[in-house]
Amino acid sequence: SQQQFFVRNSAIGQGWQGGVWNNVFVGMLGSPPSRCSTPKNKKGPPTVKVEDTPLASEKPFLAIEGDRYKLKVPALHRNSKGPNSG
């Protein structure tokens, strides 16, 4: 299988289990440690864990303020980890 699984700046409540993909977790809370697996050493799927997201830019979005539409451009986040609502 050539599937890839990528997650950034989120949280996994009970940890991560299973899967057959190449997993990449960046700035995640509750992610498993990095590991390699080979046909002789089946310890689970290959996993890469990056503790903090070095730089993240969220997409701009429209918001309504009163009777006008406003374009909101979120600030850049540096060295972040976990979900960010602001």
Side-chain angles (χ1 to χ4, degrees):
S1 172
Q2 290 295 317
Q3 296 174 338
Q4 311 294 312
F5 186 76
F6 176 85
V7 183
R8 175 180 60 85
N9 288 78
S10 191
I12 302 172
Q14 298 298 317
W16 179 263
Q17 295 179 353
V20 294
W21 310 292
N22 295 311
N23 300 311
V24 179
F25 299 97
V26 180
M28 292 287 299
L29 299 174
S31 61
S34 292
R35 67 171 169 251
C36 293
S37 64
T38 65
K40 292 181 180 180
N41 179 16
K42 294 277 186 182
K43 292 186 176 181
T47 301
V48 174
K49 177 180 181 177
V50 179
E51 288 293 331
D52 298 323
T53 303
L55 182 64
S57 175
E58 303 299 336
K59 295 177 184 176
F61 61 94
L62 291 175
I64 299 174
E65 292 182 8
D67 61 350
R68 301 187 63 118
Y69 287 96
K70 298 281 185 164
L71 177 63
K72 301 288 187 169
V73 180
L76 291 174
H77 298 282
R78 297 179 191 278
N79 301 317
S80 58
K81 187 173 196 169
N84 185 336
S85 61

